[in-house]
């Protein structure tokens, strides 16, 4: 009788019908791109979101507040990552017993949308300024609404569950009303003010920018060293001004001769017309240097004296191709009394340039003296305004000039340069730098020149360079006392940071540093699409309303808020709006200016906690968690922190979680030019959204992540292994009935070991979901599925599951464990692989009204934990590795085919190890037909593994005949007269099978 390839004996009974072979409609090939939309449609029919809310009523709320993406284009891979992470957190918290409601939102105002409409206008030959503002705003609103609908479907396609029918948007009327109301709270508490100071200004976009709207890109700039001629200086302790005509009679007194030069260095030559001072540091040692030789056509001449930091003198000399000799010390008390002339004095810059002490001055580069243009830099502005009283006492005009207009062109405050272009409307540097350098050469004030490659601020949206420009703007003060409470916004924010959980913890240091150094928050934008700064300014007194102390402030605020709630922020720009809001509030509305500047969009999104978390009964304030990319420490995390601290005294969140950026596979930034972009839409079309979710879960998202074809391929492979694990369980659970269940106490050790592993994993999964460490969870579950289950448990138990009798204790115990495994794994993985676990759940239970996502994680019994048993199985697995290693050699050498052809001899030299595993059925564990084991050393030729000392294996061949049903090779095959081709175990299983079938008939 011969054995055929299909496992059937010729002319004999087909034993396969007697086996409990796996049966399942859960396909090996996932077909995710087609199957996932079917699952989404099912969730819609089921009303899954509504069911989740209903089931969670009365539970403790866990609210992840959605940071609003911008509604101006398709989602990208980073946005997809963000939404997947949020979905996993919300789903896992729900399954751990919380009421985890997720309300998505969108940021709708601001420049990118406004630009798109302007582009449409230009293509149609229309002028934005000739279109009524509310007509223009309506087109912006329509554009944003269009993209909200597009992104909503893209987010849903990722499997993200939330209140998609009732999201929040910053352009809804109630949101605009709340945003305006929040702004007026700052007017009332005194932190809102109008000031003139340098802000980052986008010439291309014609608006001021906040720090969060700026990124740094590398550019090459002209650099110049400029000579400022000393007018006079104050010597030592003498009150007299010393000049060349007035030599001192005190030989030990240091002095400065008029005609000497103080040397400065800058990478922005165009700011020289804005120079009003030179900064120095008392911690730097300065010297007076004689120019001995010079090789330049322009610049320093032999005989001139230069004042410069000692550490930088050689570098400056090298740049100018000169030799210098130090002649005198220049102590700081002398420097503080120096006044210089402006190097372009003859062009109309006829004023004294004082020396001011500044903490920002260093000797790392430059000259040790810092060119100070208070209209073009924060440090410059701060040091100038801090010394305002000192300047006025000495007859120096403290007014800050407006040298550059909003169009990037020099104004009349830059005599001799009016009309020269710093940056044009295309974002290109103009002729201003060259004009200033030429004028300095003609004035014999240029010491040297060069070029420097360095980082320079660019608009995050237009990607074009910006300039620091002095301009009137609206600010929220960081350091002003709030309502006389002895507190400041900066102090409140720093306190709130320390009270917040930051994940990873480095986020706390990052945002703390930003808040420590943050200047006053510039919140005004010179645009049209957004929420206006809803205050009025008296054109005579500069008084602003609403404000504390103004009796009708509450009435004014209510009037504005009510109008916005009914009509949106368009009410502010409607004809007659000023009179509408001010009538009866002030005596002469004509004396008041309605401020039409638009609020910084970061203030919009920073206020979402007020009109989402506080206004919705299904949410709570503060949020349990904010989650965004690491750039939001200077964006949404920060604006929300400041807005809430300014109005409520604390942060609007309890915890903040940060993820990194998504990079290309090789670690480079994704870009169209490099053709290395990965679009989520393409991945979904080819592999399914589940692969994106798996990629996100298997990556360390706290750092920058990488994605590309090879990485996605590895995730597809990992998914296939996981799916096969689930499929194996489903196939065997087809034969499971609750009546077969066995209590742990009645199970074999291997089953109890699996329950122990489930207990360990339950602890890890709950802990790490709480810590947001999804990679650790996924890694643990993936390794469990592929190593503990597929390579160990399933491998060992296939024989019992397929071949044992129906009521075999081992088979029953194994099916019971499979039931526990399936329930636990599908629930633990459901937040991550939401489509696959739902498909698996439905494949087993086929209940149209149920969903795996409506269930909670199982409560694992404490008595499943058995550390002693786990230690024993750790040792068993070590010995098993040596056995399987020896059998693999035999297979490779073609001495055996299946492991069932082997009967290994196992030598366990270590007595403690032998005693620990002596009662193990090694034929069962090693999946061989027979095995023997002894407490001996083993022969030299035996197989060994270096990392498992004291264990050796001789892989002998099994003796006996091959069972036609289980394929085991045993001497007892043929001992049953009724079934001569089977082992006694298989013969008994067939008898029981036949009896059950006959009873059923």
């Amino acid at each position: 009788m011969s054995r055929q390839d299909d496992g059937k004996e010729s002319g004999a009974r087909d034993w396969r019908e007697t086996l409990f072979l796996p049966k399942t409609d859960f396909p090996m090939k996932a077909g995710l791109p087609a199957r996932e939309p079917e699952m989404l449609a099912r969730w819609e029919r089921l009303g899954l979101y509504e069911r989740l809310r209903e089931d969670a009523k009365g539970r403790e709320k866990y609210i992840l507040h959605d940071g609003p993406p911008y509604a101006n284009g398709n989602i990208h891979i980073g946005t997809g990552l963000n939404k997947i992470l949020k979905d996993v957190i919300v789903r896992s918290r729900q399954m751990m017993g919380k009421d985890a409601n997720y309300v998505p939102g969108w940021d709708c105002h601001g420049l990118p949308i406004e630009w798109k409409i302007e582009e449409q206008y230009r293509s149609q030959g229309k002028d934005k300024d000739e279109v009524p503002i509310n007509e223009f705003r309506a087109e912006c609103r329509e554009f944003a609404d269009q993209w909200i609908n597009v992104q909503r479907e893209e987010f849903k396609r990722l499997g993200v569950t939330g209140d998609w029918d009732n999201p929040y948007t910053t352009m809804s009327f109630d949101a605009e009303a709340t945003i305006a109301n929040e702004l007026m709270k700052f007017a009332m508490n005194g932190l809102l003010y109008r000031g003139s100071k340098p802000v980052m200004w986008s010439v291309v976009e014609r608006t001021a920018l906040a720090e969060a709207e700026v990124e740094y890109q590398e550019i090459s700039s002209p650099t110049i060293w400029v000579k400022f001629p000393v007018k006079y200086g104050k010597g030592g302790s003498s009150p007299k001004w010393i000049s060349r005509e007035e030599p001192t009679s005190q030989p030990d007194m240091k002095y400065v001769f008029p005609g000497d030069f103080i040397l400065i260095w800058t990478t922005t030559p165009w700011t020289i017309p804005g120079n009003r001072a030179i900064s120095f540091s008392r911690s730097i040692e300065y010297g007076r240097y004689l120019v001995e030789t010079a090789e330049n056509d322009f610049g320093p001449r032999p005989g001139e004296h230069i004042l410069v930091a000692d550490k930088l003198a050689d570098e400056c000399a090298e740049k100018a191709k000169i030799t210098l000799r130090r002649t005198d010390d220049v102590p700081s008390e002398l420097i503080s009394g120096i006044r210089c002339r402006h190097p372009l004095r003859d062009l109309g810059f006829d004023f004294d340039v004082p020396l001011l002490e500044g903490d920002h001055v260093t000797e790392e580069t430059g000259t040790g003296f810092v060119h100070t243009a208070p209209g073009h830099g924060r440090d410059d502005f701060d040091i100038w305004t801090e010394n305002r009283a000192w300047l006025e006492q000495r007859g120096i005009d403290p007014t800050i000039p407006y040298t550059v207009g909003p169009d990037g062109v020099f104004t009349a405050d830059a005599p001799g340069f009016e009309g020269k272009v710093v940056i044009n409307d295309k974002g290109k540097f103009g002729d201003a730098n060259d004009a200033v350098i030429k004028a300095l050469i003609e004035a014999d004030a240029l010491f040297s020149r060069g070029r420097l490659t360095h980082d320079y601020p660019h608009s995050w949206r237009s990607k074009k360079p910006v300039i620091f420009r002095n301009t009137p703007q609206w600010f929220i003060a960081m350091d002003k006392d709030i309502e006389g409470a002895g507190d400041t916004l900066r102090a409140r924010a720093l306190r709130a940071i320390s009270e917040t959980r930051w994940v990873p913890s480095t986020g706390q240091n990052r945002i703390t540093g930003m808040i420590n150094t943050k200047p006053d928050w510039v919140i005004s934008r010179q645009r049209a699409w957004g929420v206006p700064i809803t205050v009025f300014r008296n054109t005579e007194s500069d008084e602003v309303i609403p404000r504390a102390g103004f009796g009708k402030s509450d009435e004014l605020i209510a009037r504005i808020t009510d109008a916005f709630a009914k009509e949106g922020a368009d009410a502010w720009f409607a004809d007659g709006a000023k009179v509408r809001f001010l009538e009866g509030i002030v005596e002469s509305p004509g004396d008041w200016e309605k401020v039409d500047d638009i609020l910084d969009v970061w203030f919009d999104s920073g206020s979402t906690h007020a009109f989402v978390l506080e206004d919705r009964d299904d949410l709570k304030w503060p949020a349990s968690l904010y989650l965004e990319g690491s750039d939001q420490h200077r964006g949404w995390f920060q604006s929300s922190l400041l807005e809430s601290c300014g109005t409520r005294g604390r942060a609007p969140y309890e915890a903040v979680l940060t993820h990194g950026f998504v990079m290309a596979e090789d670690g480079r930034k994704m870009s169209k030019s490099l053709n290395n972009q990965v679009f989520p839409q393409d991945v979904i079309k080819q592999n399914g959204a589940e692969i994106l979710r798996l990629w996100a879960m298997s990556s360390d998202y706290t750092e920058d992540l990488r994605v590309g074809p090879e990485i996605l391929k590895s995730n597809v492979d990992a998914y296939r292994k996981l799916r096969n694990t689930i499929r194996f369980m489903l196939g065997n659970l087809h034969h499971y009935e609750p009546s077969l269940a066995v209590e742990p106490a009645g199970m074999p050790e291997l089953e109890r070991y699996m329950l122990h592993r489930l207990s360990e994993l339950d602890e890890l999964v709950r802990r790490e979901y709480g810590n947001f460490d999804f990679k650790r969870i996924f890694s643990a579950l993936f390794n469990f599925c592929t190593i503990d289950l597929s390579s160990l448990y399933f491998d060992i138990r296939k024989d019992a599951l397929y071949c044992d009798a129906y009521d075999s204790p081992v088979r029953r115990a194994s099916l019971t464990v499979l039931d526990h495994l399936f329930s636990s794994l599908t629930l633990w993985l459901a937040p991550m692989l939401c489509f696959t676990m739902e498909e698996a759940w439905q494949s087993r239970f086929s209940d149209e009204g149920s969903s795996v996502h409506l269930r909670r994680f199982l409560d694992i019994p404490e008595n499943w934990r058995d550390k002693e048993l786990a230690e024993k199985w750790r040792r068993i697995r070590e010995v098993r590795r040596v056995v399987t290693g020896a059998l693999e050699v035999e297979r490779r050498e073609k001495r055996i085919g299946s492991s069932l052809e082997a009967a290994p001899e196992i030598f366990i030299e270590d007595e403690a190890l032998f005693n620990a595993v002596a009662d193990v059925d090694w034929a069962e564990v090693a999946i061989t037909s027979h095995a023997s084991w002894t407490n001996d050393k083993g022969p030299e030729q035996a197989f060994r593994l270096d990392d498992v000392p004291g264990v050796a294996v001789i892989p002998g061949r099994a003796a006996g005949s091959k069972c036609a049903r289980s394929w085991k090779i045993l001497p007892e095959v043929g001992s049953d007269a009724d079934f001569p081709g089977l082992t006694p175990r298989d013969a008994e299983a067939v008898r029981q099978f036949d009896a059950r079938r006959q009873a059923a008939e």
Side-chain angles (χ1 to χ4, degrees):
M1 187 167 58
S2 62
R3 183 78 173 178
Q4 295 183 340
D5 291 340
D6 64 358
K8 178 182 177 183
E9 294 179 358
S10 300
R13 181 176 179 179
D14 186 350
W15 299 114
R16 288 176 302 181
E17 68 171 0
T18 71
L19 299 174
F20 297 102
L21 295 176
K23 294 182 182 179
T24 179
D25 59 2
F26 186 76
M28 184 179 298
K29 187 173 182 180
L32 292 172
R35 197 176 300 273
E36 288 171 350
E38 296 172 0
M39 203 71 65
L40 291 170
R42 180 180 181 277
W43 289 340
E44 287 286 340
R45 294 194 305 271
L46 180 63
L48 179 60
Y49 171 77
E50 293 75 16
R51 288 277 302 277
L52 287 166
R53 302 281 61 75
E54 184 66 27
D55 289 356
K57 276 186 178 178
R59 300 186 204 167
E60 180 185 356
K61 291 184 184 296
Y62 185 92
I63 303 301
L64 186 158
H65 181 37
D66 190 30
Y70 204 68
N72 72 329
N74 295 98
I75 68 170
H76 53 75
I77 193 72
T79 324
L81 167 70
N82 178 269
K83 276 294 191 287
I84 289 169
L85 291 173
K86 290 174 178 175
D87 190 54
V88 171
I89 290 170
V90 172
R91 288 180 185 273
S92 61
R93 284 305 197 282
Q94 181 85 11
M95 297 183 83
M96 287 194 291
K98 304 291 187 188
D99 178 3
N101 188 15
Y102 175 66
V103 177
W106 276 273
D107 205 350
C108 308
H109 295 132
L111 190 60
I113 291 172
E114 194 165 342
W115 254 19
K116 290 293 184 181
I117 305 305
E118 288 182 18
E119 286 177 359
Q120 294 176 16
Y121 275 23
R122 285 191 289 271
S123 67
Q124 299 166 9
K126 294 168 63 176
D127 185 348
K128 168 192 170 185
D129 295 333
E130 295 177 0
V131 176
I133 186 171
N134 278 343
E135 183 178 315
F136 177 82
R137 286 169 58 87
E139 294 191 56
C140 292
R141 183 179 294 276
E142 182 180 351
F143 180 90
D145 192 56
Q146 167 200 335
W147 282 109
I148 287 173
N149 290 327
V150 171
Q151 290 186 6
R152 183 193 339 244
E153 295 307 310
E154 291 179 322
F155 289 140
K156 289 168 71 174
R157 182 62 185 84
L158 289 170
V160 180
T161 297
D163 196 356
W164 295 110
D165 294 334
N166 300 288
Y168 78 85
T169 72
T170 58
M171 69 178 184
S172 66
F173 289 177
D174 63 317
E176 291 183 335
T178 302
I179 293 167
N181 188 270
E182 292 296 303
L183 180 277
M184 290 184 283
K185 290 179 181 179
F186 283 95
M188 293 295 289
N189 68 18
L191 296 188
L192 178 70
Y193 72 94
R194 183 175 185 265
S196 176
K197 61 173 60 178
V199 295
M200 284 180 281
W201 180 269
S202 171
V203 174
V204 175
E205 299 153 325
R206 290 293 181 92
T207 186
L209 300 177
E211 289 174 291
E213 298 171 293
V214 171
E215 62 185 15
Y216 286 81
Q217 298 180 22
E218 197 173 80
I219 67 169
S220 177
S221 297
T223 62
I224 57 173
W225 287 257
V226 181
K227 302 185 299 182
F228 277 69
V230 175
K231 183 176 181 181
Y232 51 72
K234 186 176 181 181
S237 58
S238 169
K240 295 183 62 179
W241 294 105
I242 301 169
S243 68
R244 189 181 296 277
E245 291 75 26
E246 198 174 19
T248 178
S249 59
Q250 303 177 37
D252 61 338
M253 182 159 70
K254 301 296 182 183
Y255 54 90
V256 174
F257 287 116
D260 288 1
F261 298 96
I262 285 183
L263 194 61
I264 67 92
W265 172 76
T266 182
T267 60
T268 52
W270 63 268
T271 60
I272 291 295
N275 176 275
R276 291 300 182 269
I278 298 171
S279 299
F280 74 99
S281 171
R282 292 185 183 273
S283 64
I284 295 177
E285 295 181 355
Y286 296 94
R288 183 169 181 250
Y289 289 81
L290 173 67
V291 179
E292 293 192 311
T293 63
E295 301 176 11
N296 285 329
D297 296 333
F298 64 86
R301 299 192 181 101
E304 290 181 346
H305 280 85
I306 306 296
L307 273 64
V308 68
D310 288 331
K311 284 188 177 180
L312 296 166
D314 290 343
E315 180 182 333
C316 292
E318 181 182 347
K319 296 291 184 183
K321 298 180 180 179
I322 63 174
T323 58
L324 293 174
R325 178 168 58 84
R326 195 176 192 278
T327 62
D328 291 291
D329 293 332
V330 185
S332 57
E333 62 266 23
L334 176 63
I335 294 174
S336 63
I338 294 175
R339 288 198 201 178
C340 292
R341 292 187 176 91
H342 196 285
L344 300 177
R345 177 183 181 183
D346 292 343
L347 290 179
F349 298 86
D350 189 10
F351 46 79
D352 287 355
V353 177
L355 273 289
L356 303 175
E357 184 180 359
D359 294 336
H360 64 291
V361 182
T362 71
E363 52 187 344
E364 292 178 4
T365 188
T367 68
F369 292 104
V370 174
H371 149 59
T372 301
H376 299 302
R378 178 189 168 190
D379 289 331
D380 305 46
F381 176 86
D382 288 345
I383 195 170
W384 184 257
T385 53
E386 287 168 6
N387 285 278
R388 179 180 293 273
W390 184 90
L391 295 167
E392 289 176 337
Q393 290 171 7
R394 285 154 181 78
I396 298 174
D397 183 1
T399 302
I400 299 174
Y402 296 93
T403 54
V404 180
D407 55 358
V409 175
F410 274 130
T411 68
D413 280 357
F417 303 101
E418 190 172 357
K420 298 296 183 183
V421 178
V422 178
I423 291 180
N424 63 23
D425 59 1
K426 306 297 184 195
K428 301 292 185 181
F429 282 95
D431 55 358
N433 277 331
D434 289 342
V436 170
I437 293 172
K438 180 180 178 182
L440 289 170
I441 293 173
E442 292 174 352
D444 193 23
L446 192 68
F447 180 84
S448 185
R449 64 190 295 183
R451 293 199 71 82
L452 179 71
T453 299
H454 63 117
D455 287 339
Y456 188 86
H458 287 63
S459 167
W460 168 66
R461 296 183 178 92
S462 69
K463 310 301 180 185
K464 302 299 182 183
V466 303
I467 57 176
F468 281 91
R469 172 177 170 263
N470 187 40
T471 176
Q473 298 291 337
W474 291 90
F475 298 87
I476 289 176
M478 291 295 295
D479 298 305
K480 185 178 180 181
D481 186 23
I482 301 176
E483 299 175 334
D487 206 358
T488 67
L489 181 55
R490 193 186 309 278
R492 285 185 177 182
L494 291 172
R495 187 164 59 248
I497 290 170
S498 68
E499 295 168 350
T500 299
R501 178 188 178 193
W502 298 88
V503 184
S505 59
T506 52
Q508 179 171 351
N509 293 334
R510 187 175 187 203
I511 196 168
T512 297
M514 291 177 175
I515 294 298
N516 268 325
T517 60
K518 183 178 178 64
D520 288 351
W521 183 6
V522 53
I523 61 165
S524 51
R525 300 292 182 271
Q526 290 64 50
R527 304 302 301 180
W529 175 229
V531 178
I533 295 178
T534 50
V535 299
F536 296 88
R537 186 179 69 88
N538 189 289
T539 55
E540 292 294 326
S541 66
D542 219 30
E543 176 189 356
V544 173
I545 56 172
R547 62 173 175 80
F550 177 66
K552 294 192 175 183
S553 286
D554 290 345
E555 183 180 346
L556 176 59
I557 292 171
R559 190 177 292 185
I560 294 170
T561 305
D562 290 345
F564 279 29
K566 295 173 183 175
E567 307 162 38
D570 290 356
W572 190 258
F573 302 102
D575 292 341
K578 183 171 77 169
V579 174
R580 171 189 182 181
F581 292 123
L582 289 184
E583 190 172 17
I585 300 293
V586 297
E587 291 185 2
S588 303
D591 295 340
W592 295 81
E593 170 191 67
K594 177 170 67 71
V595 175
D596 285 339
D597 283 353
I598 294 295
L599 266 172
D600 172 15
V601 291
W602 290 110
F603 191 95
D604 282 21
S605 58
S607 302
T608 58
H609 68 95
F611 61 83
V612 181
L613 299 178
E614 287 185 339
D615 283 2
R616 292 186 57 141
D617 293 336
D618 54 349
L619 302 177
K620 76 177 183 71
W621 191 101
S624 307
L625 182 70
Y626 275 32
L627 162 60
E628 298 301 328
S630 56
D631 57 333
Q632 296 307 312
H633 289 108
R634 65 183 182 123
W636 189 55
F637 298 155
Q638 187 178 133
S639 65
S640 299
L641 173 73
L642 295 176
E643 202 289 324
S644 185
C645 284
T647 56
R648 290 154 179 80
R650 63 149 294 165
Y653 39 67
E654 296 168 344
V656 173
L657 178 61
T658 308
H659 64 77
F661 296 102
V662 182
M663 314 297 286
E665 206 160 40
D666 59 3
R668 291 189 292 177
K669 185 176 181 180
M670 289 188 187
S671 71
K672 187 175 181 180
S673 61
L674 293 173
N675 194 31
N676 63 355
Q677 293 172 290
V678 174
F679 299 99
Q681 298 84 355
D682 295 340
V683 178
I684 291 170
K685 184 177 180 180
Q686 181 175 351
N687 299 309
E690 203 78 304
I691 300 304
L692 277 180
R693 295 178 71 100
L694 191 149
W695 161 74
M697 293 300 98
S698 60
S699 302
D700 181 2
Y701 67 83
T702 62
E703 303 289 341
D704 288 347
L705 303 81
R706 297 186 182 190
V707 69
E710 291 303 313
I711 290 174
L712 289 171
K713 182 178 180 296
S714 68
N715 280 279
V716 170
D717 292 341
Y719 174 81
R720 187 177 296 114
K721 292 178 181 178
L722 269 179
R723 187 176 182 89
N724 284 338
T725 300
I726 300 296
R727 188 169 185 270
F728 179 90
M729 288 189 285
L730 282 168
N732 285 279
L733 285 168
H734 171 80
H735 305 289
Y736 175 72
E737 300 168 14
S739 61
L740 294 173
V742 178
E743 290 298 319
M747 291 181 178
E749 284 189 350
L750 178 56
E751 275 62 37
R752 287 190 282 117
Y753 173 53
M754 287 297 107
L755 296 183
H756 169 84
R757 291 289 292 120
L758 281 180
S759 175
E760 288 183 320
L761 286 169
D762 179 66
E763 180 182 335
L764 179 145
V765 167
R766 291 174 184 273
R767 181 182 68 244
E768 300 310 334
Y769 268 131
N771 292 333
F772 315 110
D773 194 342
F774 310 127
K775 182 181 180 182
R776 180 170 293 182
I777 297 172
F778 180 80
S779 177
L781 295 182
F782 180 77
N783 288 336
F784 177 68
C785 287
T786 56
I787 300 173
D788 293 65
L789 296 184
S790 294
S791 298
L792 178 73
Y793 185 63
F794 295 169
D795 217 18
I796 294 172
R797 282 295 181 243
K798 277 181 184 177
D799 178 69
L801 286 167
Y802 298 173
C803 301
D804 269 12
Y806 173 80
D807 61 356
S808 155
V810 174
R811 179 175 176 273
R812 291 178 59 191
S814 184
L815 286 172
T816 305
V817 167
L818 285 181
D819 181 52
H820 293 314
L821 286 169
F822 178 83
S823 296
S824 296
L825 285 171
T826 51
L827 290 171
W828 290 337
L829 287 167
M832 298 180 175
L833 303 179
C834 61
F835 294 108
T836 304
M837 296 309 117
E838 180 76 324
E839 181 189 1
W841 192 265
Q842 290 302 311
S843 178
R844 183 177 180 194
F845 297 110
S846 303
D847 182 355
E848 185 62 26
S850 74
S851 168
V852 70
H853 301 295
L854 291 171
R855 297 177 61 82
R856 300 193 208 179
F857 292 164
L858 299 177
D859 292 325
I860 301 296
E862 291 183 11
N863 62 7
W864 285 11
R865 188 68 66 95
D866 191 334
K867 292 183 179 180
E868 289 185 8
L869 181 62
E871 174 59 22
K872 177 179 180 179
W873 271 90
R874 183 190 67 79
R875 295 182 174 190
I876 293 172
R877 294 175 75 165
E878 289 292 283
V879 175
R880 185 176 188 264
R881 282 203 301 118
V882 184
V883 179
T884 55
L887 297 182
E888 183 59 36
V889 172
E890 297 303 292
R891 270 193 293 265
R892 187 170 65 243
E893 298 298 324
K894 302 189 183 306
R895 288 191 285 267
I896 63 172
S898 163
S899 62
L900 291 175
E901 297 177 21
E905 295 180 71
I906 307 169
F907 303 90
I908 305 173
E909 182 179 359
D910 182 90
E911 187 171 353
L913 176 59
F914 178 82
N915 291 335
V917 301
D919 61 344
V920 173
D921 182 347
W922 281 103
E924 177 185 72
V925 169
I927 318 173
T928 59
S929 292
H930 181 73
S932 60
W933 53 101
T934 63
N935 185 204
D936 296 326
K937 181 177 181 180
E940 290 297 323
Q941 72 272 21
F943 179 86
R944 291 174 172 82
L945 291 177
D946 291 340
D947 59 340
V948 188
V951 179
V953 175
I954 296 292
R957 289 188 65 88
S961 301
K962 185 175 184 179
C963 175
R965 183 171 180 268
S966 66
W967 296 2
K968 286 187 177 181
I969 299 172
L970 295 169
E972 54 263 37
V973 172
S975 60
D976 190 297
D978 295 331
F979 301 100
L982 307 182
T983 67
R985 185 275 309 255
D986 287 272
E988 181 57 34
V990 172
R991 282 194 185 91
Q992 194 177 111
F993 172 82
D994 290 343
R996 285 174 52 81
R997 183 167 63 178
Q998 186 175 8
E1001 293 174 352

